[in-house]
DNA sequence: AGATATAATTCAGACTATAATCTAATTTAG
DNA sequence: CTAAATTAGATTATAGTCTGAATTATATCT
């Protein structure tokens, strides 16, 4: 392949991606619509469309209504033109999805994580499952353009290495991209789950109408993904988005990261669990929702929450308040169009987002108040895997000049 | 003029700007150097260079050393090709600079702000001074390509309006860009001072070697400018960078913004002054450095600081600590390559940056620690006006595809 | 002095977007 | 029902940009 230069190839590629992205967003459209929509001459569009149609990337999707002239021929992405595999792996399980060019789900698998949690075992299981899934779906495997992988961070996106993920102690430096690429012979891209959740919501969820997004992933820890001008912002060492580690009380409790009073140490689901444990101890361990002989963990908390256990609700609402406090600084610094909040806790208890939003709304810089938009994630647990698919599809629909 | 489209003009413009930017950064270079440097064919470069040379944008700057072949002809930006005016206006004064294409200072003026502080008076004074300055410098005024203006925020960069700046109560909605453009008939761009300080340090100061920068302006308030991938990030409502309003103590003192425990309420120079006032009262107002009959203001504090007054030093060092705390969250969220700290207080007391840096360094996520880079601003009070010049020069040296 | 290396020029060619003109199909006015 | 107007699309010629090979110019190295 040639190197990326400021040449005619680039120009063509630019216009191609602009056309494809326009079609993706607008559905079946005519050449004239496209020319109008992306400000290119009709002829340039016509030529490119004909080419894309001949290759099979596009297909004719009937004719549209005339508004006083020849009926327009409508073009659409050919769903069978390309396929993408998305993978979401965690310490507990592995999720796989096969997605077509229309971003429709063709097949999916859920597999428990290998008991030994060794990287090699993960790779083996993934490779097998992918091969099976592709075979079962009877896909022409030359049409598989890539695999997007969501993994627990930190990740060096450039080298495709996962670096000492806290939840997978046996993983040290794992060249995940390289290993999967070798095993399956398909291009692989790896990105951390919080970032891909953000990307997923941008492509398929509540972020589709905006370009500057902060995604907050409130799980065991609190992570985040930042999208600026429609593009993931990764930061200097691929570490951007660690919004769990903003200080909201510099005299607060110690956090795993070494700092004191981090948002994560006070409002993550682990912090909530700890808090409940502590209060139970103070109360002498008496509670209907938390039998003395059972462990207090996130599952138990979720269960108690479903019964609206008073203690649980109170602790979570306190966490919601603190989340709101943490968001203030982030909103004032970034001035995003939308803040999207996902993760197990807010999903189980939607009021969490409401509370955080109302706290943030009363305390954020007045000018930002009116247009402040704090919303729950739309895709739930699928955000990350949807983002993994988007990570690959992005290559076709957007051109990054760098 | 034609509309901007993904066409050949765009391609040419792209390569032109890449070439000019390369020359700006690398100094006198040969065509071969450029071709190598920006990954374009020698021929494409040769043609563009010849063109730019003929128009007078470039000039031949002698010949270089041969490394075993024909001596290269070295090209350089022609300093006399273009001129830019930069303006920095505040409630106290107006600074003007005339800068050539080499970003060398040709002329400058300092004028006190008009006593009535009315927008119209500002415009009148500025217009007159600019005309004078240009006339005195004997510049061909067709070569003046634009005026960059640094003003107190908030500013709608798009419309060029300054919106209710706190320090200029008589200014409500002032269409500064429009007014100056009318008065002087030269393209004008307006941007808030913190953002331009960031841009100034990126172009001419300590930020020149990096692309992801947080600039902290610690003055009466605490503002900031964010540069991502070399480009100013403005946020949704042009409000990004209000890093003075991150919460570092959610039970802290009330801030002007309505929130509690903002960094600005605890570490800005106003906060420092207030704190000193308070402590003096508690001590019965006795102090060598703060005579009872004089007002305690920032000037007095600076003076006391120069005598290393104990109370003053202590309060400022506390503020430095809090600044460090505030930076933690920002660094963990953005993972910038460099944090640049400017403003009157850190400039007067460089140890402030050291203290903040060391606090942040011990508390930031361990992975970020090694490459953490917190440095004082290099341009001092000139950051903003330098940025104002860069704001205009940017149009020539970078191409924004949007 | 001759071989080799580097820089720049010349000229022909490939590719992309544009512009003007034409064909086809359909609606709308009368 | 017919003709004019409208819209979509095709054809052809053209201009502009980058590319590539061959050539010229100039230095260094042996």
């Amino acid at each position: 392949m040639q190197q990326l230069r400021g040449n005619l190839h680039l120009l063509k590629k630019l216009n191609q991606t602009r056309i494809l992205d326009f079609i993706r967003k607008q559905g079946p459209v005519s050449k004239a619509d496209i020319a109008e929509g992306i400000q290119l001459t009709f002829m340039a569009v016509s030529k490119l469309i004909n080419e894309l149609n001949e290759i099979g990337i596009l297909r004719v999707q009937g004719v549209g209504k005339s508004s006083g002239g020849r009926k327009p021929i409508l073009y659409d992405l050919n769903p069978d033109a390309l396929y993408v595999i998305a993978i979401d792996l965690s310490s507990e399980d592995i999720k796989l999805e096969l997605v077509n060019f229309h971003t429709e789900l063709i097949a999916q698998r859920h597999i428990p994580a290998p008991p030994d949690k060794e990287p090699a075992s993960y790779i083996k299981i993934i490779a097998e499952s992918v091969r099976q899934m592709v075979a079962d779906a009877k896909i022409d495997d030359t049409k598989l353009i890539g695999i997007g992988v969501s993994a627990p961070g930190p990740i060096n996106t450039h080298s495709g290495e996962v670096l000492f993920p806290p939840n997978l102690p046996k993983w040290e430096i794992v060249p995940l991209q390289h290993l999967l690429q070798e095993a399956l012979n398909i291009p692989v891209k790896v990105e951390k789950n919080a970032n891909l959740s953000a990307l997923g919501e941008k492509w398929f969820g509540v972020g589709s109408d905006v370009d500057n997004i902060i995604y907050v992933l409130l799980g065991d820890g609190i992570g985040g993904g930042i999208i600026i001008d429609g593009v993931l912002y990764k930061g200097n060492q691929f570490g951007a988005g660690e919004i769990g580690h903003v200080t909201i009380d510099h005299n607060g409790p110690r956090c795993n990261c070494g700092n004191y009073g981090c948002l994560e140490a006070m409002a993550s689901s682990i912090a909530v669990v700890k808090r409940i444990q502590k209060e139970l101890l103070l109360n002498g361990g008496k509670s209907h929702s938390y039998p003395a002989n059972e462990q207090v963990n996130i599952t138990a908390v979720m269960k108690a929450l479903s019964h609206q256990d008073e203690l649980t609700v109170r602790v979570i609402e306190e966490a919601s308040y603190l989340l709101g406090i943490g968001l203030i600084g982030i909103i004032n610094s970034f001035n995003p169009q939308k803040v999207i909040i996902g993760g197990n806790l807010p999903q189980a208890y939607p009021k969490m987002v409401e509370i955080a939003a109302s706290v943030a709304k009363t305390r954020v810089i007045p000018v930002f108040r009116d247009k402040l938009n704090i919303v729950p994630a739309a895709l739930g647990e699928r955000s990350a895997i949807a983002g993994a698919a988007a990570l690959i599809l992005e290559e076709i629909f957007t051109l990054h000049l760098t």
Side-chain angles (χ1 to χ4, degrees), chain A residues 166-389:
Chain A
N167 295 333
L168 288 165
K170 286 192 184 167
W171 289 38
E172 297 182 341
I173 298 180
V174 179
L176 191 55
Q177 177 188 344
H178 182 74
L179 293 171
L180 275 177
Q181 221 156 256
E182 286 250 303
L184 287 162
N185 209 26
I186 305 171
V188 173
K189 275 187 163 184
V190 186
E191 183 59 80
K192 65 178 175 178
N193 46 17
N195 279 356
L196 288 184
S197 297
L199 197 62
E201 291 286 344
K202 157 104 185 95
W203 275 61
F204 309 113
V206 286
S208 58
D209 57 337
V210 292
D211 268 340
N212 293 312
I213 299 171
I214 304 285
Y215 178 92
V216 181
L217 180 61
L218 202 153
D220 287 354
I222 297 183
I226 300 172
I227 290 177
I228 287 178
D229 291 338
V231 180
L232 261 181
Y233 171 65
K234 299 179 183 176
N236 185 33
Q237 293 147 283
F238 309 101
E242 291 297 339
I243 59 184
H245 301 283
V246 293
T247 313
I248 57 174
D249 180 358
H250 63 106
N251 296 315
R254 190 180 169 89
C255 176
N256 288 330
C257 75
N259 187 22
Y260 295 83
C262 283
L263 179 60
E264 176 165 314
M266 298 168 78
S268 66
S269 64
I270 285 185
V272 165
V273 168
K274 277 189 187 167
R275 179 90 195 177
I276 291 174
Q277 283 174 336
K278 199 171 157 190
E279 297 230 3
L280 284 172
L281 274 174
L282 289 173
N283 295 349
K286 279 179 261 176
S287 166
H288 291 296
S289 302
Y290 298 100
N293 53 343
E294 279 183 24
Q295 215 190 346
V296 178
N297 55 23
I298 186 66
T299 323
V301 169
M302 290 294 191
K303 203 175 152 194
L305 191 62
S306 69
H307 303 141
Q308 305 198 317
D309 172 64
E310 196 202 318
L311 169 63
T312 310
V313 168
R314 181 165 52 77
V315 170
I316 289 183
E317 295 200 345
E318 278 168 21
S320 310
Y321 164 82
L322 294 170
L323 175 60
I325 297 291
L327 290 180
I328 297 167
I330 295 162
I331 292 165
N332 285 340
S333 307
F334 275 95
N335 188 208
Q337 275 174 286
K338 223 168 215 172
V339 177
I340 301 173
I341 299 180
N344 52 8
L345 222 49
Q347 205 185 334
Y349 192 64
K351 211 176 155 192
M352 189 165 195
V353 178
E354 282 173 40
I355 294 172
S358 100
V359 170
K361 204 151 197 163
T362 56
R363 287 186 170 223
V364 98
I365 293 179
V367 197
F368 296 168
R369 213 163 278 164
D370 305 334
K371 296 202 176 172
L372 189 53
N373 213 342
I374 302 178
V375 296
L379 305 177
E381 290 178 349
R382 275 201 69 237
S383 308
I385 202 164

Side-chain angles (χ1 to χ4, degrees), chain A residues 31 59 217 261:
Chain A
K31 291 175 177 175
R59 63 174 183 187
L217 180 61

Side-chain angles (χ1 to χ4, degrees), chain A residues 22 28-35 45 72-75:
Chain A
F22 185 80
V29 284
S30 70
K31 291 175 177 175
D33 292 335
I34 298 169
V45 171
I73 302 170
L74 300 182
Y75 297 87

